[in-house]
Amino acid sequence: MSDFPTKTRVVVIGGGVVGTSSLYHLAKKGWTDCVLLEKNELTAGSTWHAAGNVPTFSTSWAIMNMQRYSTELYAGLANEVDYPMNYHQSGSIRLAHSKERMQEFERAMSMGRYQGIPMEIWTPQEAKARYPFLETHDLEGILYDPTDGDIDPAQLTQALAKGARDMGARILRFTPAVGVTQQDDDSWVVHTEKGDIACEYVVNAAGYYARRVGEWFKPYGGRTVPMMVMSHQYLLTEQIPEVEAWTKEHGSKLPLIRDVDVSYYLRQEKGGYNLGPYEPNCRGHWMSKDDPMPEDFSFQLWQEDIDRIEDIVTDAMERVPLMQTTGVSSVINGPIPYAPDGLPLIGPMPGVKNAFENCVFTFGIAQGGGAGKVLAEWIVDGGTEWDMWAVDPRRYTDYTDQDYCNQKGMEVYGNEYAMHFPHHEWPAARDKKLSPVHDTLLALGASFGAYNGWERVNWFAHPGDDTSHKSTHTWDRSGPWEQRVQEECEAVRDNVGVLDLPGFSRFMLRGCGAAEALRGLVTGGLPKVGRINLVYISDNRGRILTEMSCMRLEEDVFMMITAATAQWHDRDILVNALPADVTVEDMTTSRDTLIVTGPNARRLLSNLTDADLSLGWLTHQSASIAGWPAHLVRVSFAGELGWEVHALNEYMPAIYDAVLDAGAKPFGMYALNSLRLEKGYRAWKGDLSTDYSMLEGGLSRFVKLDKPQNYPGKAAIQTELQAGVKKAFVTLLVDAGAADAPYMSCIWHSDEIVGETTSGGWGYRVNASIALGMVRADLAVPGTKLAVEIFGKKFDAIIQADQPLWDPTNERLRA
């Protein structure tokens, strides 16, 4: 074994399409001294039995970017690495049975157009003309994607492997990794059956073995990988003469069909068909001690279970009657890993330095190319070209136990093509984290949503209101919630409201030099003792990494407060950036928060607290409320006079009851979103993301280029300031129809796309549809007339002055 590499830069564990893509893209970026370990032969896991579909469709901007990149890479890969591949870009047609599905298609087509994907909307008649074997009588319409297609997974993997090898990277087959050890300098030793390999970084690309590999990292701060494994079946038919004749006549394959409302795809396979259902009557594997995962499942399948998919097969035969003229040649039933939301885990391993994940891919062939690109950027550049929060492993925290993963995996698989309506909440695996006043909220009519596992109230229903799941199956703003949300907003505007906000991410920073360390991390200044302000952290490109509220308790003691979903993301930022003598204590779960806000908030609280309520905006103080210790912070995300009340969980029920008894009206997250839009307040990973720089985001007032500390991104911000920004953050009033602008709606100027919305909704205080967004810098002038595309239709919009729509001088906020 003299040729065995004992030292390298990166070790990638797993030899499927994602692992080889990771190695290939690391080498493309110049990191050729990297090694991939595979316990068996390449493709031995999910890759070898994958169907090989390569769509671009997604309603996630990040996922569409990643899949689009895959199609572009695969189209030229065979020539680039000199390896033959069967890649057919036959196009696809998605069938819509309802108006709501067509709205989804219009939204996806708009996003695709922005990314350069030439999708089209067809009538059923147009689809019939292009696909004569298709029954279209009951369809609303069709989405056509000419870039869709399929590829041979084994050939793709070998092509990526050859490309990586040709650049100097190493692939060790039949070399199982058996564990890892982290060194004092945070580098790694990866143990294999053939010897140890020292490296700077480790990548878990182990597919459905990812959880097993992930356990090796738990002694170094890791967690159990949130995933489960589904049994996925597809069947292959015998050859069909009519299909063979059509292919011979046209010189290409038939477009792939996706009947998303029934939940299957139907693809030409040689002269027959490949039918892949995602059946509601699904089955998971290796989910309990009674069904343990084998030590090795390489190149293995499960017994077919055709009864499970009988209804979908019958439907497909009616949709394409040619299916009735042939028999089934084989059924493939293999393991597919699922994260709780069906999206992969790509990025830094939570809590572990110099370790990354690129695993748990449900659609690994379609996403593999883009995943390798993203992973290589994470490691080499320290950040990705596109904001990839949608797949960041840190989007999940401590609530993802096995029960949660099992329930959500089954739910996602059984609803693989389901529409994700803005007011719909998926019911599986709920109540993982409850507010200390949860029972009180429930009695008040709360309709809950899950936020980083925490149950927060979206809106409060009255007796007789429709709270069924069916009522939420709409893209429109109107529904049973609309009147209640308006009433909640009006209560905050005219009197006083109270919002229970469990799950605020909180980190206590203590230690000599904590203030100076923070100055070297954030782009702006720090508050004085007794005050609070917003601070921003940028990446090395000057892009918006995160936003935190910084509360200064003592000279070197700070409470950093951030979004619920940012808990592990922001924890890692702080832990990795601050010196060892500054402690970072996560205090998220021990405390709850109330927002008490409205013009009568001072009057209400004055009868409950000994706090000095005359202290100005952006101050904080310890006090007693209803006889219980708490901390009052003079801020309000709703944009009215108000305070945040922070208290230990055990004190909050009594405090909440006292606030209710004093006359506050409870309100929910839907109302808060409306209220913050009217103030132009940004939301994390919507308006605030690494897709935008600090300057593009309109955050220059939070940037101090004259301070001596060389914080991340300072040089990039300075360079951008001199060159000028290309985009600018704006507030738009939209003459919208029944629906408000969703995230990443196209903004038009004449016949040109000039930007995108970052969030949108109805403002009940200003009685208008609002969109926040980014537009070309030269157009970011108040009064400029634009148009916002909402579900395929353009609506007039006007850029507003750079100030809040509601209370533009903040008089109410500072009252």
Side-chain angles (χ1 to χ4, degrees):
M1 292 297 294
S2 59
D3 191 37
F4 185 83
T6 58
K7 189 174 183 180
T8 191
R9 204 160 192 181
V10 182
V11 170
V12 179
I13 301 172
V17 67
V18 174
T20 55
S21 179
S22 300
L23 191 71
Y24 168 84
H25 282 89
L26 284 166
K28 287 275 282 187
K29 292 185 76 67
W31 284 34
T32 56
D33 183 17
C34 299
V35 172
L36 182 148
L37 302 175
E38 166 54 45
K39 70 184 297 181
N40 197 285
E41 180 59 87
L42 295 181
T43 77
S46 295
T47 299
W48 84 274
H49 64 76
N53 297 327
V54 188
T56 61
F57 178 94
S58 179
T59 53
S60 162
W61 184 255
I63 295 298
M64 181 177 279
N65 256 324
M66 198 164 64
Q67 294 179 169
R68 173 188 53 79
Y69 173 85
S70 291
T71 65
E72 295 168 354
L73 171 69
Y74 300 166
L77 187 62
N79 290 333
E80 179 188 333
V81 303
D82 191 25
Y83 191 92
M85 288 196 307
N86 292 318
Y87 181 33
H88 308 282
Q89 285 190 288
S90 57
S92 71
I93 52 178
R94 285 178 182 258
L95 314 183
H97 294 247
S98 67
K99 174 181 73 74
E100 289 76 17
R101 183 66 77 175
M102 284 302 297
Q103 288 178 279
E104 181 195 53
F105 286 177
E106 292 278 8
R107 170 160 159 68
M109 185 178 71
S110 176
M111 291 170 58
R113 182 192 296 115
Y114 200 1
Q115 291 194 16
I117 305 169
M119 297 179 180
E120 301 173 16
I121 295 292
W122 288 353
T123 65
Q125 293 75 26
E126 289 172 323
K128 181 76 172 179
R130 292 166 169 85
Y131 200 118
F133 313 124
L134 180 69
E135 290 297 318
T136 61
H137 62 280
D138 57 344
L139 300 178
E140 190 78 20
I142 310 288
L143 177 67
Y144 173 66
D145 180 359
T147 67
D148 206 333
D150 63 271
I151 198 167
D152 184 297
Q155 290 177 339
L156 171 61
T157 304
Q158 295 296 344
L160 291 165
K162 182 178 185 298
R165 288 191 186 104
D166 289 348
M167 288 182 279
R170 298 281 304 275
I171 294 177
L172 304 182
R173 299 170 301 138
F174 304 103
T175 307
V178 295
V180 297
T181 300
Q182 191 166 39
Q183 307 298 97
D184 291 341
D185 63 355
D186 295 325
S187 66
W188 294 93
V189 174
V190 178
H191 310 294
T192 81
E193 291 184 352
K194 297 179 180 179
D196 291 347
I197 305 176
C199 60
E200 298 173 44
Y201 303 97
V202 183
V203 178
N204 180 357
Y208 54 71
Y209 297 108
R211 170 170 284 170
R212 183 173 291 168
V213 171
E215 294 298 298
W216 303 341
F217 295 87
K218 290 177 78 171
Y220 309 105
R223 87 301 183 216
T224 297
V225 175
M227 62 172 290
M228 54 86 69
V229 176
M230 289 300 302
S231 158
H232 176 60
Q233 299 185 100
Y234 64 90
L235 60 85
L236 303 174
T237 74
E238 304 286 356
Q239 303 303 290
I240 303 173
E242 291 88 342
V243 172
E244 293 176 318
W246 192 96
T247 300
K248 185 175 181 179
E249 178 185 351
H250 291 84
S252 65
K253 296 171 66 173
L254 286 159
L256 184 149
I257 297 171
R258 285 188 176 85
D259 196 334
V260 289
D261 290 312
V262 181
S263 196
Y264 67 86
Y265 69 82
L266 184 65
R267 187 188 89 202
Q268 182 179 341
E269 187 74 24
K270 297 181 180 178
Y273 280 112
N274 173 334
L275 172 62
Y278 290 90
E279 73 276 13
N281 183 30
C282 52
R283 181 179 178 185
H285 272 287
W286 308 334
M287 297 194 302
S288 67
K289 293 180 180 179
D290 298 334
D291 182 22
M293 182 180 182
E295 184 62 32
D296 189 359
F297 202 71
S298 301
F299 295 113
Q300 295 185 55
L301 296 171
W302 291 303
Q303 181 68 34
E304 66 185 58
D305 187 5
I306 199 73
D307 290 344
R308 255 179 29 217
I309 59 176
E310 184 177 358
D311 290 347
I312 293 179
V313 173
T314 300
D315 193 281
M317 287 180 168
E318 294 173 354
R319 181 65 56 197
V320 181
L322 273 183
M323 287 274 292
Q324 301 174 27
T325 68
T326 188
V328 175
S329 63
S330 60
V331 178
I332 311 298
N333 184 9
I336 301 290
Y338 265 75
D341 59 2
L343 301 182
L345 306 175
I346 312 173
M349 188 180 294
V352 185
K353 293 183 178 181
N354 297 338
F356 291 81
E357 293 176 336
N358 208 4
C359 53
V360 197
F361 282 78
T362 299
F363 300 102
I365 307 304
Q367 296 166 0
K373 171 191 185 308
V374 169
L375 188 279
E377 290 169 348
W378 265 122
I379 294 177
V380 177
D381 303 330
T384 54
E385 177 185 356
W386 318 303
D387 188 282
M388 295 306 297
W389 178 244
V391 297
D392 193 313
R394 296 168 296 185
R395 70 190 188 272
Y396 291 115
T397 61
D398 55 354
Y399 60 94
T400 55
D401 56 18
Q402 190 62 59
D403 172 72
Y404 180 87
C405 294
N406 291 347
Q407 288 193 51
K408 296 304 288 186
M410 299 278 281
E411 181 180 64
V412 171
Y413 183 94
N415 296 277
E416 188 63 63
Y417 294 123
M419 290 173 277
H420 294 269
F421 296 109
H423 295 95
H424 179 65
E425 295 287 339
W426 293 96
R430 297 296 295 271
D431 294 349
K432 289 298 179 180
K433 290 184 176 183
L434 302 181
S435 158
V437 299
H438 182 81
D439 289 345
T440 301
L441 299 171
L442 203 59
L444 291 170
S447 179
F448 291 98
Y451 299 78
N452 191 30
W454 291 94
E455 295 293 324
R456 286 181 176 176
V457 182
N458 283 331
W459 62 288
F460 286 91
H462 289 193
D465 287 347
D466 184 0
T467 58
S468 67
H469 286 289
K470 186 177 180 180
S471 72
T472 66
H473 291 180
T474 177
W475 303 107
D476 295 350
R477 81 175 65 86
S478 64
W481 53 84
E482 186 177 27
Q483 181 181 347
R484 305 306 171 212
V485 173
Q486 179 176 343
E487 292 165 355
E488 292 170 18
C489 290
E490 289 171 348
V492 172
R493 180 194 67 191
D494 299 335
N495 187 18
V496 58
V498 58
L499 171 68
D500 176 58
L501 206 61
F504 247 156
S505 300
R506 295 178 178 82
F507 304 97
M508 184 72 80
L509 273 55
R510 295 187 179 93
C512 183
E516 184 58 26
L518 272 179
R519 289 190 191 99
L521 177 61
V522 305
T523 61
L526 301 179
K528 296 178 180 179
V529 174
R531 296 190 65 84
I532 182 173
N533 64 9
L534 285 177
V535 296
Y536 289 85
I537 299 171
S538 69
D539 65 14
N540 57 17
R541 301 162 300 176
R543 299 191 187 185
I544 306 164
L545 192 58
T546 196
E547 171 196 79
M548 300 186 190
S549 294
C550 178
M551 186 190 306
R552 196 166 192 171
L553 304 174
E554 300 175 23
E555 192 63 28
D556 275 326
V557 180
F558 298 84
M559 179 71 80
M560 310 297 287
I561 304 174
T562 184
T565 51
Q567 183 183 359
W568 281 8
H569 178 276
D570 286 3
R571 177 203 64 185
D572 281 2
I573 291 174
L574 294 171
V575 169
N576 292 337
L578 299 178
D581 52 358
V582 176
T583 61
V584 179
E585 182 184 359
D586 189 336
M587 306 180 74
T588 300
T589 59
S590 62
R591 287 162 171 76
D592 191 23
T593 302
L594 302 181
I595 294 179
V596 181
T597 185
N600 293 327
R602 179 180 283 114
R603 183 186 308 164
L604 181 147
L605 287 172
S606 65
N607 296 317
L608 301 176
T609 182
D610 57 1
D612 181 358
L613 299 179
S614 68
L615 291 182
W617 189 42
L618 302 180
T619 60
H620 61 88
Q621 59 186 304
S622 294
S624 172
I625 299 183
W628 298 95
H631 207 83
L632 264 68
V633 187
R634 177 76 191 277
V635 293
S636 173
F637 200 52
E640 299 283 354
L641 170 68
W643 284 261
E644 288 179 0
V645 179
H646 299 254
L648 291 171
N649 290 335
E650 54 264 38
Y651 304 150
M652 194 56 85
I655 295 173
Y656 187 64
D657 285 346
V659 172
L660 287 179
D661 290 345
K665 179 179 177 65
F667 67 100
M669 297 299 291
Y670 291 170
L672 184 65
N673 186 59
S674 171
L675 297 164
R676 69 96 187 171
L677 283 170
E678 293 171 312
K679 294 295 293 182
Y681 294 159
R682 277 67 153 173
W684 191 67
K685 288 307 177 190
D687 314 301
L688 303 171
S689 81
T690 57
D691 281 332
Y692 310 115
S693 71
M694 289 288 296
L695 300 183
E696 287 174 336
L699 301 173
S700 58
R701 66 188 183 280
F702 298 101
V703 173
K704 294 182 69 174
L705 291 171
D706 57 350
K707 70 177 185 177
Q709 293 82 11
N710 189 29
Y711 53 83
K714 184 177 183 179
I717 295 172
Q718 181 73 64
T719 300
E720 185 183 17
L721 185 65
Q722 294 170 350
V725 297
K726 296 179 180 178
K727 286 184 173 182
F729 185 85
V730 296
T731 299
L732 297 160
L733 283 184
V734 187
D735 188 15
D740 301 305
Y743 174 67
M744 284 294 168
S745 298
C746 289
I747 300 175
W748 293 78
H749 182 250
S750 298
D751 294 325
E752 181 184 5
I753 297 175
V754 295
E756 67 277 355
T757 61
T758 54
S759 57
W762 189 265
Y764 290 96
R765 289 178 298 193
V766 300
N767 196 34
S769 182
I770 304 166
L772 307 183
M774 291 284 180
V775 300
R776 208 174 65 204
D778 63 297
L779 295 172
V781 178
T784 300
K785 295 181 179 180
L786 302 171
V788 175
E789 184 175 354
I790 303 175
F791 300 118
K793 296 181 180 179
K794 294 179 184 177
F795 295 90
D796 291 341
I798 299 178
I799 294 180
Q800 303 299 298
D802 186 18
Q803 62 186 23
L805 296 171
W806 176 254
D807 186 27
T809 59
N810 290 328
E811 292 179 13
R812 297 169 68 94
L813 194 65
R814 299 172 186 268

